[in-house]
């Protein structure tokens, strides 16, 4: 099962009631970085299309890198290349473990000096546990051990949610597969 913790009102402020269709929700805002109102640990699997793996590839380059990507000593920085993905997100490390969501969006390489990317995607949940989306974006400083993406909003079960996804590379197998561990912490929840 998902490591999903809904922390009770301890350390959380309640502010207002938001009408959502016929149901009303309570708004929980965490007052502490260590006490998110919801937490989820998941794995993101990116299998890049290499011209042959059309059976299992879930991401593909939509553009070539720009010529600028070969202009500096680090060759190649892929500067300007856009990768579009519909990646599987699982509860466990293994690609075959329980699927939790799809990550649908893109990243592009945005630094000509070194490898560096920028991500924007929706986590699309369509399971018995959760239905809805969390919308995520931020800079992936590839050589930083961890990076924080912003969770800028949500829909459905994650109505109006906001938070931080702390991401680290869990595995990297050549150019065509990498796995990210994502520690999703919501600090604003409507329950
Ligand atoms: C995807 O399939 C190819 C065979 O087409 C295989 O070599 C590769 O290991 C698979 N990738 C993953 C991440 O399972
Ligand atoms: C980068 O690699 C390309 C071929 O892959 C080569 O033509 C180019 O000279 C290289 N650039 C530098 C700065 O090493
Ligand atoms: C969500 O899951 C249901 C049940 O498996 C399926 O019928 C529906 O097409 C799915 N929706 C999306 C957007 O994938
Ligand atoms: C880079 O990593 C350090 C240590 O893991 C972390 O404190 C810092 O917030 C990271 N920087 C960014 C921009 O994510």
């Amino acid at each position: 099962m998902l490591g999903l913790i809904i922390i009770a009102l301890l350390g959380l402020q309640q502010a207002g009631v938001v009408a959502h269709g016929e149901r009303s929700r309570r708004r929980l805002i965490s007052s502490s970085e260590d006490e998110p109102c919801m937490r989820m640990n998941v794995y993101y699997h990116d299998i890049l299309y290499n011209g042959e793996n059309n059976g299992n590839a879930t991401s593909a380059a939509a553009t070539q890198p720009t010529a600028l990507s070969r202009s500096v000593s680090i060759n190649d920085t892929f500067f300007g290349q856009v990768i579009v993905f519909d990646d599987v997100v699982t509860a466990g490390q293994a690609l075959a473990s329980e699927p939790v969501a799809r990550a649908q969006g893109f990243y592009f390489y945005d630094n000509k000096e070194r490898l560096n990317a920028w991500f924007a995607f929706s986590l699309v949940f369509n399971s018995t546990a959760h239905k809805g989306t969390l919308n995520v974006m931020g800079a992936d400083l590839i050589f930083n051990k961890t990076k924080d993406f912003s969770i800028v909003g949500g829909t459905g079960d994650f109505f109006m949610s906001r938070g931080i996804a702390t991401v680290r590379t869990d595995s990297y197998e050549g150019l065509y597969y990498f796995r990210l561990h994502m520690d999703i912490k919501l600090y604003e929840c409507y329950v």
Side-chain angles (χ1 to χ4, degrees):
M1 265 311 287
L2 261 179
L4 183 145
I5 304 163
I6 299 187
I7 294 163
L9 295 179
L10 202 71
L12 298 169
Q13 291 171 8
Q14 267 189 75
V17 171
V18 174
H20 174 65
E22 285 175 20
R23 74 176 269 212
S24 60
R25 295 176 185 248
R26 274 176 309 118
R27 177 181 177 215
L28 304 180
I29 297 186
S30 172
S31 56
S32 156
E33 195 173 335
D34 300 328
E35 293 177 12
C37 48
M38 186 188 279
R39 189 164 193 172
M40 219 186 273
N41 278 279
V42 296
Y43 293 87
Y44 161 109
H45 305 263
D46 192 74
I47 309 171
L48 185 63
Y49 181 53
N50 64 8
E52 287 167 4
N53 60 350
N54 48 325
N56 60 3
T58 53
S59 75
T63 67
Q64 292 292 321
T66 63
L68 190 57
S69 73
R70 294 190 188 286
S71 67
V72 289
S73 57
I74 294 175
N75 200 0
D76 183 345
T77 62
F78 298 100
F79 186 79
Q81 184 167 47
V82 178
I83 311 284
V84 177
F85 57 83
D86 177 10
D87 282 338
V88 179
V89 174
T90 58
Q93 254 180 341
L95 186 55
S97 75
E98 183 195 348
V100 172
R102 307 292 299 196
Q104 299 179 337
F106 62 88
Y107 58 89
F108 52 78
Y109 292 97
D110 60 354
N111 190 320
K112 73 169 191 179
E113 313 292 341
R114 59 194 301 190
L115 267 186
N116 196 72
W118 195 86
F119 277 72
F121 59 95
S122 296
L123 287 170
V124 180
F125 295 82
N126 182 28
S127 65
T128 47
H130 299 292
K131 293 200 189 334
T133 65
L134 284 173
N135 296 298
V136 184
M137 58 193 263
D140 176 13
L141 309 172
I142 287 176
F143 293 102
N144 213 20
K145 207 168 168 198
T146 66
K147 36 250 157 177
D148 286 343
F149 291 165
S150 299
I151 300 172
V152 296
T155 65
D157 290 351
F158 304 100
F159 177 76
M160 295 280 284
S161 296
R162 290 195 303 157
I164 301 280
T166 298
V167 171
R168 70 173 162 76
T169 303
D170 189 55
S171 170
Y172 194 87
E173 294 167 17
L175 279 178
Y176 298 105
Y177 175 75
F178 66 88
R179 179 170 67 234
L180 303 177
H181 175 259
M182 291 199 287
D183 182 2
I184 294 171
K185 294 157 288 187
L186 300 182
Y187 295 101
E188 184 172 345
C189 303
Y190 294 77
V191 297

